[in-house]
Amino acid sequence: MKAKLGIAPIAWSNDDLPELGGDTTLETCLSEARDAGFSGVETGGKFPKTAAELGPKLLAHGLSLASGWYSGTVLDAPDDLAAEKDQVLAQLQLFRALGAPCLVYGETAGTLQNRRDAPLALRRRLFEDEIKLYGRRLTRFAEYCAEQGVPLAFHHHMATAIETERDLDLLMQHTGEAVGLLFDTGHLRFAGGDLFRVLERHGKRIVHVHAKDIRAEVIDGLDREQQSFLDAVLAGAFTVPRDGAIAFGQVVKKLAEIGYQGWFVVEAEQDPIKAPPAEFAKIGFKALTGALTEAGYEIEGDVT
Protein backbone atom coordinates (compact mmCIF):
# COMPACT_ATOMS: atom_id res chain seq x y z
CA MET A 1 0.00 0.00 0.00
CA LYS A 2 1.15 3.49 -0.77
CA ALA A 3 0.80 6.75 1.14
CA LYS A 4 1.84 10.33 0.57
CA LEU A 5 2.48 12.89 3.28
CA GLY A 6 1.20 16.44 2.92
CA ILE A 7 0.63 19.38 5.20
CA ALA A 8 -2.01 22.10 5.29
CA PRO A 9 -0.94 25.78 5.33
CA ILE A 10 -2.93 26.51 8.49
CA ALA A 11 0.10 25.23 10.37
CA TRP A 12 1.59 28.61 9.41
CA SER A 13 -1.47 30.86 9.11
CA ASN A 14 -5.24 30.57 9.43
CA ASP A 15 -7.63 32.10 6.91
CA ASP A 16 -10.34 32.39 9.59
CA LEU A 17 -7.95 34.09 12.03
CA PRO A 18 -5.71 36.36 9.95
CA GLU A 19 -3.92 37.54 13.08
CA LEU A 20 -2.36 34.08 13.38
CA GLY A 21 0.61 34.06 11.05
CA GLY A 22 -0.88 36.60 8.70
CA ASP A 23 2.54 38.00 7.90
CA THR A 24 4.09 34.62 7.07
CA THR A 25 4.87 34.40 3.36
CA LEU A 26 3.83 31.59 1.06
CA GLU A 27 7.51 31.03 0.30
CA THR A 28 8.13 30.33 3.99
CA CYS A 29 5.20 27.90 4.15
CA LEU A 30 6.41 25.93 1.13
CA SER A 31 10.07 25.96 2.09
CA GLU A 32 9.48 24.81 5.65
CA ALA A 33 6.99 22.15 4.54
CA ARG A 34 9.57 20.63 2.22
CA ASP A 35 12.36 20.94 4.80
CA ALA A 36 10.20 18.98 7.25
CA GLY A 37 9.95 16.14 4.73
CA PHE A 38 6.50 16.61 3.23
CA SER A 39 5.93 15.93 -0.46
CA GLY A 40 2.71 17.90 -0.83
CA VAL A 41 0.62 20.79 0.47
CA GLU A 42 -3.01 21.83 0.46
CA THR A 43 -3.98 25.28 -0.73
CA GLY A 44 -4.89 28.22 1.46
CA GLY A 45 -5.71 31.89 1.14
CA LYS A 46 -2.14 32.87 0.26
CA PHE A 47 -1.90 30.49 -2.69
CA PRO A 48 -2.21 31.70 -6.30
CA LYS A 49 -5.48 30.75 -7.96
CA THR A 50 -4.18 29.72 -11.38
CA ALA A 51 -2.05 26.78 -12.47
CA ALA A 52 0.26 29.13 -14.37
CA GLU A 53 1.13 30.90 -11.11
CA LEU A 54 0.94 28.09 -8.57
CA GLY A 55 2.49 25.29 -10.62
CA PRO A 56 6.00 26.79 -10.84
CA LYS A 57 5.99 27.67 -7.13
CA LEU A 58 5.20 24.09 -6.14
CA LEU A 59 7.70 22.73 -8.66
CA ALA A 60 10.44 24.96 -7.29
CA HIS A 61 10.03 23.30 -3.89
CA GLY A 62 9.46 19.77 -5.17
CA LEU A 63 5.91 19.73 -3.83
CA SER A 64 2.67 18.30 -5.18
CA LEU A 65 -0.81 19.70 -4.71
CA ALA A 66 -2.46 17.42 -2.16
CA SER A 67 -5.87 19.18 -2.28
CA GLY A 68 -7.45 22.24 -0.69
CA TRP A 69 -10.54 23.59 1.00
CA TYR A 70 -13.64 24.76 -0.85
CA SER A 71 -16.31 26.70 1.07
CA GLY A 72 -19.53 25.26 -0.30
CA THR A 73 -23.12 26.30 0.34
CA VAL A 74 -24.96 23.42 -1.33
CA LEU A 75 -27.12 23.05 1.80
CA ASP A 76 -28.97 26.29 1.02
CA ALA A 77 -28.43 26.38 -2.74
CA PRO A 78 -31.27 26.23 -5.29
CA ASP A 79 -31.85 22.74 -6.66
CA ASP A 80 -30.28 23.54 -10.02
CA LEU A 81 -26.91 24.24 -8.27
CA ALA A 82 -26.02 26.60 -11.12
CA ALA A 83 -24.39 29.28 -8.96
CA GLU A 84 -22.49 26.69 -6.91
CA LYS A 85 -21.13 25.05 -10.05
CA ASP A 86 -20.04 28.41 -11.42
CA GLN A 87 -18.31 29.27 -8.15
CA VAL A 88 -16.33 26.03 -7.86
CA LEU A 89 -15.32 25.70 -11.52
CA ALA A 90 -12.10 27.73 -11.36
CA GLN A 91 -10.86 25.76 -8.36
CA LEU A 92 -11.70 22.47 -10.05
CA GLN A 93 -9.79 23.58 -13.13
CA LEU A 94 -6.78 24.54 -11.00
CA PHE A 95 -6.83 21.23 -9.12
CA ARG A 96 -7.25 19.18 -12.29
CA ALA A 97 -4.37 20.97 -13.99
CA LEU A 98 -2.03 20.37 -11.05
CA GLY A 99 -3.08 16.80 -10.37
CA ALA A 100 -4.82 17.24 -7.01
CA PRO A 101 -6.61 14.00 -6.09
CA CYS A 102 -9.76 15.63 -4.68
CA LEU A 103 -11.54 18.80 -3.62
CA VAL A 104 -11.96 19.24 0.14
CA TYR A 105 -15.59 20.28 0.49
CA GLY A 106 -16.64 22.12 3.66
CA GLU A 107 -20.31 22.97 4.11
CA THR A 108 -20.34 26.63 5.13
CA ALA A 109 -24.06 27.44 4.84
CA GLY A 110 -24.85 28.79 8.30
CA THR A 111 -21.40 27.92 9.60
CA LEU A 112 -20.05 29.32 12.86
CA GLN A 113 -16.50 28.10 12.33
CA ASN A 114 -15.27 31.58 11.39
CA ARG A 115 -17.21 33.57 14.02
CA ARG A 116 -15.50 34.37 17.29
CA ASP A 117 -18.80 35.71 18.72
CA ALA A 118 -20.80 32.49 18.14
CA PRO A 119 -20.60 29.75 20.81
CA LEU A 120 -20.16 26.13 19.77
CA ALA A 121 -23.55 25.22 21.22
CA LEU A 122 -25.34 27.42 18.68
CA ARG A 123 -24.08 25.62 15.59
CA ARG A 124 -26.64 24.68 12.96
CA ARG A 125 -28.39 21.32 13.47
CA LEU A 126 -30.32 19.37 10.86
CA PHE A 127 -33.18 16.88 11.13
CA GLU A 128 -32.77 13.63 9.24
CA ASP A 129 -35.25 14.73 6.56
CA GLU A 130 -33.13 17.84 5.97
CA ILE A 131 -29.97 15.75 5.68
CA LYS A 132 -31.76 13.44 3.26
CA LEU A 133 -32.60 16.35 0.95
CA TYR A 134 -29.12 17.81 1.38
CA GLY A 135 -27.56 14.45 0.58
CA ARG A 136 -29.35 14.24 -2.75
CA ARG A 137 -28.24 17.73 -3.70
CA LEU A 138 -24.67 17.15 -2.49
CA THR A 139 -24.49 13.94 -4.51
CA ARG A 140 -25.39 15.82 -7.68
CA PHE A 141 -22.77 18.44 -6.90
CA ALA A 142 -20.17 15.73 -6.26
CA GLU A 143 -21.05 14.09 -9.56
CA TYR A 144 -20.42 17.43 -11.27
CA CYS A 145 -17.01 17.71 -9.59
CA ALA A 146 -16.14 14.18 -10.73
CA GLU A 147 -17.18 15.06 -14.29
CA GLN A 148 -14.65 17.91 -14.12
CA GLY A 149 -11.96 15.42 -13.12
CA VAL A 150 -11.74 16.21 -9.40
CA PRO A 151 -13.62 13.96 -6.94
CA LEU A 152 -15.22 15.52 -3.85
CA ALA A 153 -14.02 14.72 -0.33
CA PHE A 154 -16.55 15.85 2.28
CA HIS A 155 -14.99 17.42 5.39
CA HIS A 156 -17.03 16.98 8.57
CA HIS A 157 -16.09 20.03 10.67
CA MET A 158 -16.73 21.58 14.04
CA ALA A 159 -19.28 24.43 14.18
CA THR A 160 -20.92 23.39 10.90
CA ALA A 161 -24.16 21.57 10.07
CA ILE A 162 -22.28 18.27 9.67
CA GLU A 163 -20.23 18.06 12.84
CA THR A 164 -21.02 14.94 14.89
CA GLU A 165 -20.77 11.22 14.28
CA ARG A 166 -24.57 11.12 14.01
CA ASP A 167 -24.50 13.86 11.35
CA LEU A 168 -21.84 11.98 9.43
CA ASP A 169 -23.67 8.65 9.63
CA LEU A 170 -26.81 10.23 8.20
CA LEU A 171 -24.91 12.07 5.48
CA MET A 172 -23.16 8.89 4.35
CA GLN A 173 -26.51 7.06 4.41
CA HIS A 174 -28.20 9.68 2.22
CA THR A 175 -25.44 10.38 -0.31
CA GLY A 176 -24.25 8.43 -3.32
CA GLU A 177 -20.78 7.03 -3.93
CA ALA A 178 -19.70 10.25 -5.66
CA VAL A 179 -19.49 11.86 -2.21
CA GLY A 180 -16.17 10.72 -0.82
CA LEU A 181 -15.27 11.19 2.83
CA LEU A 182 -12.43 13.21 4.25
CA PHE A 183 -11.63 11.52 7.57
CA ASP A 184 -10.43 14.18 10.02
CA THR A 185 -9.27 12.66 13.29
CA GLY A 186 -9.17 15.94 15.21
CA HIS A 187 -12.58 17.27 14.25
CA LEU A 188 -14.25 13.91 14.89
CA ARG A 189 -12.73 13.55 18.36
CA PHE A 190 -13.54 17.19 19.18
CA ALA A 191 -17.18 16.43 18.28
CA GLY A 192 -17.21 13.42 20.60
CA GLY A 193 -17.13 10.83 17.83
CA ASP A 194 -15.57 7.39 17.93
CA LEU A 195 -12.77 7.21 15.36
CA PHE A 196 -12.81 3.45 14.99
CA ARG A 197 -16.57 3.12 14.76
CA VAL A 198 -16.57 5.65 11.91
CA LEU A 199 -13.74 3.76 10.22
CA GLU A 200 -15.72 0.53 10.48
CA ARG A 201 -18.90 2.08 9.09
CA HIS A 202 -17.55 4.39 6.42
CA GLY A 203 -13.95 3.37 5.77
CA LYS A 204 -14.62 2.44 2.15
CA ARG A 205 -15.84 5.99 1.45
CA ILE A 206 -12.61 7.63 2.68
CA VAL A 207 -10.66 9.35 -0.10
CA HIS A 208 -8.53 11.76 1.95
CA VAL A 209 -7.19 11.91 5.51
CA HIS A 210 -6.42 14.86 7.78
CA ALA A 211 -4.13 13.75 10.57
CA LYS A 212 -4.93 16.22 13.31
CA ASP A 213 -4.40 15.61 17.04
CA ILE A 214 -6.27 17.14 19.97
CA ARG A 215 -5.34 18.40 23.40
CA ALA A 216 -8.01 16.65 25.42
CA GLU A 217 -7.60 18.87 28.47
CA VAL A 218 -8.36 21.96 26.38
CA ILE A 219 -11.43 20.45 24.72
CA ASP A 220 -12.76 19.01 27.99
CA GLY A 221 -12.38 22.41 29.64
CA LEU A 222 -14.36 24.38 27.05
CA ASP A 223 -17.63 26.09 27.94
CA ARG A 224 -19.52 25.35 24.74
CA GLU A 225 -22.37 27.64 25.74
CA GLN A 226 -19.95 30.58 25.81
CA GLN A 227 -16.87 29.74 23.76
CA SER A 228 -16.61 29.57 19.98
CA PHE A 229 -14.69 27.24 17.70
CA LEU A 230 -12.11 29.98 17.17
CA ASP A 231 -11.80 30.40 20.93
CA ALA A 232 -11.00 26.69 21.09
CA VAL A 233 -8.36 27.05 18.37
CA LEU A 234 -6.71 29.93 20.21
CA ALA A 235 -6.78 27.93 23.44
CA GLY A 236 -4.82 25.13 21.74
CA ALA A 237 -7.49 22.52 21.06
CA PHE A 238 -5.61 21.13 18.06
CA THR A 239 -2.05 20.02 17.52
CA VAL A 240 0.00 17.71 15.30
CA PRO A 241 0.23 13.91 15.69
CA ARG A 242 2.21 12.71 18.73
CA ASP A 243 1.60 15.97 20.61
CA GLY A 244 -1.94 15.13 21.72
CA ALA A 245 -4.33 12.42 22.85
CA ILE A 246 -4.99 10.40 19.67
CA ALA A 247 -3.23 7.05 19.19
CA PHE A 248 -2.26 7.52 15.54
CA GLY A 249 -0.52 4.17 15.31
CA GLN A 250 -3.84 2.40 15.86
CA VAL A 251 -5.71 4.75 13.52
CA VAL A 252 -3.23 4.24 10.68
CA LYS A 253 -3.23 0.47 11.23
CA LYS A 254 -7.01 0.44 10.87
CA LEU A 255 -6.83 2.55 7.71
CA ALA A 256 -4.34 0.04 6.31
CA GLU A 257 -6.69 -2.84 7.13
CA ILE A 258 -9.50 -1.04 5.29
CA GLY A 259 -7.19 -0.63 2.29
CA TYR A 260 -6.94 3.16 2.26
CA GLN A 261 -4.23 4.54 0.00
CA GLY A 262 -3.56 8.20 -0.65
CA TRP A 263 -2.69 11.39 1.17
CA PHE A 264 -2.23 11.78 4.90
CA VAL A 265 -2.26 15.53 5.52
CA VAL A 266 -0.96 16.97 8.78
CA GLU A 267 -3.26 19.80 9.81
CA ALA A 268 -3.33 21.67 13.11
CA GLU A 269 -4.88 25.06 13.63
CA GLN A 270 -2.51 26.58 16.19
CA ASP A 271 -1.03 29.90 17.22
CA PRO A 272 2.32 29.93 15.38
CA ILE A 273 3.88 31.95 18.19
CA LYS A 274 3.07 29.24 20.74
CA ALA A 275 3.66 26.35 18.33
CA PRO A 276 6.42 27.25 15.80
CA PRO A 277 5.26 25.76 12.49
CA ALA A 278 8.65 24.47 11.30
CA GLU A 279 9.18 22.64 14.58
CA PHE A 280 5.69 21.17 14.79
CA ALA A 281 5.72 20.18 11.11
CA LYS A 282 8.74 18.00 11.84
CA ILE A 283 7.06 16.49 14.90
CA GLY A 284 3.98 15.60 12.88
CA PHE A 285 6.01 14.24 9.98
CA LYS A 286 8.10 12.01 12.22
CA ALA A 287 5.06 10.68 14.05
CA LEU A 288 3.17 9.87 10.87
CA THR A 289 6.10 8.30 9.01
CA GLY A 290 6.65 6.00 11.97
CA ALA A 291 2.99 5.02 12.13
CA LEU A 292 2.73 4.50 8.37
CA THR A 293 5.88 2.40 8.16
CA GLU A 294 4.76 0.22 11.06
CA ALA A 295 1.38 -0.31 9.38
CA GLY A 296 3.06 -1.49 6.17
CA TYR A 297 2.69 1.59 4.00
CA GLU A 298 5.22 2.57 1.35
CA ILE A 299 5.68 6.33 1.65
CA GLU A 300 6.08 8.10 -1.67
CA GLY A 301 8.14 11.27 -1.91
CA ASP A 302 9.82 10.94 1.51
CA VAL A 303 12.89 13.21 1.49
CA THR A 304 14.28 12.27 4.92
Side-chain angles (χ1 to χ4, degrees):
M1 291 181 301
K2 297 182 179 181
K4 298 180 181 181
L5 278 171
I7 192 165
I10 55 174
W12 285 268
S13 61
N14 191 311
D15 292 342
D16 290 331
L17 282 168
E19 64 268 32
L20 296 186
D23 57 348
T24 304
T25 66
L26 176 61
E27 179 68 23
T28 296
C29 297
L30 299 179
S31 177
E32 291 184 353
R34 190 55 173 163
D35 286 347
F38 293 97
S39 61
V41 291
E42 291 189 347
T43 55
K46 296 177 180 178
F47 282 62
K49 308 302 183 187
T50 68
E53 295 173 284
L54 180 56
K57 290 183 180 296
L58 294 177
L59 184 62
H61 292 278
L63 293 166
S64 299
L65 184 59
S67 189
W69 174 275
Y70 170 74
S71 294
T73 56
V74 168
L75 178 58
D76 289 342
D79 282 340
D80 64 8
L81 297 174
E84 199 74 32
K85 291 177 180 179
D86 287 345
Q87 179 177 299
V88 75
L89 183 57
Q91 192 165 344
L92 292 175
Q93 291 171 336
L94 169 66
F95 281 20
R96 183 179 62 215
L98 296 182
C102 62
L103 176 81
V104 173
Y105 180 93
E107 183 54 63
T108 60
T111 185
L112 301 182
Q113 71 193 73
N114 56 357
R115 289 183 52 189
R116 187 89 186 268
D117 64 339
L120 284 159
L122 296 183
R123 67 101 180 178
R124 187 172 182 177
R125 289 172 168 80
L126 302 176
F127 293 110
E128 181 171 358
D129 285 348
E130 293 175 297
I131 293 179
K132 187 175 183 179
L133 290 172
Y134 173 51
R136 291 173 183 167
R137 197 178 299 148
L138 183 64
T139 298
R140 287 191 281 110
F141 182 73
E143 290 169 349
Y144 170 77
C145 292
E147 289 167 3
Q148 299 302 315
V150 185
L152 182 147
F154 186 90
H155 191 335
H156 53 96
H157 197 290
M158 289 298 300
T160 72
I162 305 295
E163 175 188 274
T164 67
E165 184 178 343
R166 173 260 184 194
D167 298 333
L168 185 55
D169 284 344
L170 289 172
L171 186 72
M172 291 293 96
Q173 178 184 340
H174 294 300
T175 51
E177 291 297 319
V179 178
L181 174 60
L182 186 156
F183 182 66
D184 188 299
T185 52
H187 279 279
L188 189 57
R189 275 289 300 273
F190 194 152
D194 185 304
L195 299 179
F196 296 96
R197 191 161 55 220
V198 169
L199 287 171
E200 284 287 348
R201 290 176 178 168
H202 310 301
K204 296 300 182 181
R205 299 281 293 272
I206 296 172
V207 297
H208 206 57
V209 173
H210 277 178
K212 184 191 286 95
D213 215 332
I214 60 146
R215 295 187 176 96
E217 68 279 6
V218 174
I219 289 174
D220 292 345
L222 291 171
D223 180 349
R224 300 190 184 212
E225 299 291 334
Q226 299 293 328
Q227 291 179 281
S228 68
F229 172 68
L230 294 181
D231 287 334
V233 169
L234 290 170
F238 292 128
T239 186
V240 297
R242 203 186 74 183
D243 190 49
I246 296 174
F248 275 92
Q250 297 176 29
V251 172
V252 171
K253 181 180 178 182
K254 185 62 179 177
L255 283 162
E257 291 174 359
I258 291 168
Y260 172 77
Q261 297 191 81
W263 286 97
F264 289 79
V265 177
V266 170
E267 188 189 40
E269 296 103 317
Q270 297 194 85
D271 184 339
I273 300 300
K274 298 177 181 177
E279 175 186 339
F280 275 77
K282 291 175 182 177
I283 292 171
F285 181 83
K286 183 177 180 180
L288 265 186
T289 52
L292 288 164
T293 300
E294 188 173 342
Y297 278 101
E298 175 189 344
I299 303 173
E300 295 184 343
D302 185 355
V303 298
T304 58

